[in-house]
Amino acid sequence: MQPLRVIARGLDADVCRLYHPAAAAFGPNATMSLRTARLVPQNPEAGRTAIPLPPKPVSLGADAGNEIRIGGPGVEARHAQITVDSKGYTLSDLGSKTGTRVNAETVQQRMLKHEDVIQIGMARFVFREG
């Protein structure tokens, strides 16, 4: 997969923020490259199909309003969120009771790296960039 390029030349900061919130931080003539990423399910609880991550915040949890819906015990309605900026993708726990794990470690917030294993409830995903 090719990196996603957000080109914000000649646009004011408000328009840049509408297209992608991180683009506005670089000013009206900025070019920002983001690597594409996806979550690859590792067990039946995570599903069967890889999930591409868009260049916007993505919520994960049991509620139907989440971009990525995860069912099962230990999954809150709005459990976690993945955001993206010029540094990469960040996973944040949204105050869940059971926690969010990256590579078997409970985290509140973590910058994701290629091949990190994310666990929410019983669902396990591998984060893959590129």
Side-chain angles (χ1 to χ4, degrees):
M1 292 184 191
Q2 296 295 321
L4 175 69
R5 291 177 55 89
V6 176
I7 300 172
R9 288 193 173 93
L11 300 176
D12 68 24
D14 290 333
V15 172
C16 291
R17 258 190 299 281
L18 287 174
Y19 184 69
H20 189 280
F26 294 96
N29 294 314
T31 299
M32 183 175 75
S33 292
L34 299 172
R35 293 190 55 85
T36 57
R38 64 195 180 283
L39 296 181
V40 179
Q42 296 300 294
N43 61 4
E45 292 80 6
R48 291 181 281 193
T49 308
I51 304 164
L53 295 174
K56 64 175 189 160
V58 174
S59 60
L60 300 92
D63 188 80
N66 291 297
E67 287 83 6
I68 300 175
R69 190 167 179 200
I70 304 169
V75 181
E76 306 272 336
R78 286 191 36 88
H79 196 103
Q81 183 174 44
I82 296 175
T83 55
V84 61
D85 62 21
S86 61
K87 296 174 189 166
Y89 292 83
T90 301
L91 175 69
S92 302
D93 183 86
L94 298 176
S96 69
K97 294 175 188 164
T98 57
T100 300
R101 290 181 169 74
V102 176
N103 302 327
E105 179 184 335
T106 301
V107 299
Q108 289 301 310
Q109 190 171 61
R110 170 77 59 92
M111 178 72 68
L112 295 171
K113 294 183 227 125
H114 184 67
E115 298 294 321
D116 276 349
V117 177
I118 298 166
Q119 184 169 346
I120 296 174
M122 297 299 294
R124 268 191 331 274
F125 302 90
V126 173
F127 172 79
R128 294 210 172 119
E129 281 188 298

